[in-house]
Amino acid sequence: MLRWGRRALRGVAAGATRVRRVRDEVTKPSTGVSDDDAMALALDQARLAAERGEVPVGAVVVVDGVVVATAHNQRETDADPTAHAEVLALRAAGQALGTWRMGDATLFVTLEPCAMCAGAAVSARLGRLVFGAADPKAGAVGSLYNLAADPRLNHEIPWSSGVRAAECAELLEAFFSSRR
């Protein structure tokens, strides 16, 4: 499996300019982004979405401890039903990395992915998925379905949930209560 070096962050991290594939070694930065830190960045993206009248969901893609992409929901802004934070973050990560295969990437998202977003993560051969709040109405990574661990699909994604879950849920609850 190909691993990505420090300079794999074209236009994302300071000083990063090119994609570089490293076959036999993994080059990691001396300090990486923790799960909690990455979820904090996803929450920042979710807050941006709320400020723009979008459902506050944010996503961050991390490779080897370095953030390669961030995004938030833009369905209303773009008039695009597929403009979910996860899909937009995966697209941006693919552009930054120069590949659609993301076996070394972790996607952090504030809300459990829906079926479309979980399917996109499986299609991207994502290495890991972490989400904050569960989504009992549309969640497809444990709540209603578990597309990330369906052996009938061509890829399974290790996943975990509950990182800053209360903060993620509070942001969504505040957004929807202000709309009622």
Side-chain angles (χ1 to χ4, degrees):
M1 182 183 312
L2 295 175
R3 297 267 184 187
W4 298 97
R6 282 186 198 180
R7 293 187 295 162
L9 312 174
R10 188 173 18 163
V12 178
T17 57
R18 297 177 184 250
V19 173
R20 180 171 69 99
R21 293 181 181 163
V22 180
R23 283 198 175 263
D24 298 320
E25 65 181 78
V26 179
T27 306
K28 290 190 177 182
S30 57
T31 59
V33 176
S34 71
D35 286 6
D36 193 65
D37 292 340
M39 191 60 73
L41 294 172
L43 280 160
D44 289 343
Q45 287 294 310
R47 288 182 192 96
L48 283 174
E51 289 172 11
R52 295 177 176 150
E54 300 279 356
V55 174
V57 178
V60 173
V61 178
V62 175
V63 176
D64 290 335
V66 179
V67 175
V68 296
T70 62
H72 56 78
N73 274 1
Q74 295 185 53
R75 293 188 329 163
E76 301 297 330
T77 304
D78 294 350
D80 179 356
T82 68
H84 289 202
E86 302 94 310
V87 171
L88 297 174
L90 289 171
R91 284 181 191 158
Q95 290 296 307
L97 298 170
T99 184
W100 61 269
R101 291 177 183 90
M102 299 187 200
D104 293 330
T106 300
L107 173 64
F108 293 87
V109 62
T110 56
L111 181 65
E112 179 181 358
C114 68
M116 175 184 69
C117 295
V122 169
S123 293
R125 312 295 194 273
L126 193 68
R128 183 170 166 244
L129 171 67
V130 178
F131 63 88
D135 186 352
K137 293 184 178 181
V141 184
S143 290
L144 295 179
Y145 314 101
N146 194 349
L147 295 179
D150 189 330
R152 298 170 296 177
L153 299 176
N154 62 346
H155 180 71
E156 293 183 39
I157 305 168
W159 62 274
S160 57
S161 63
V163 178
R164 299 182 82 149
E167 195 174 349
C168 294
E170 286 169 14
L171 186 59
L172 286 158
E173 289 168 7
F175 175 80
F176 286 114
S177 67
S178 74
R179 299 262 177 200
R180 292 182 185 124

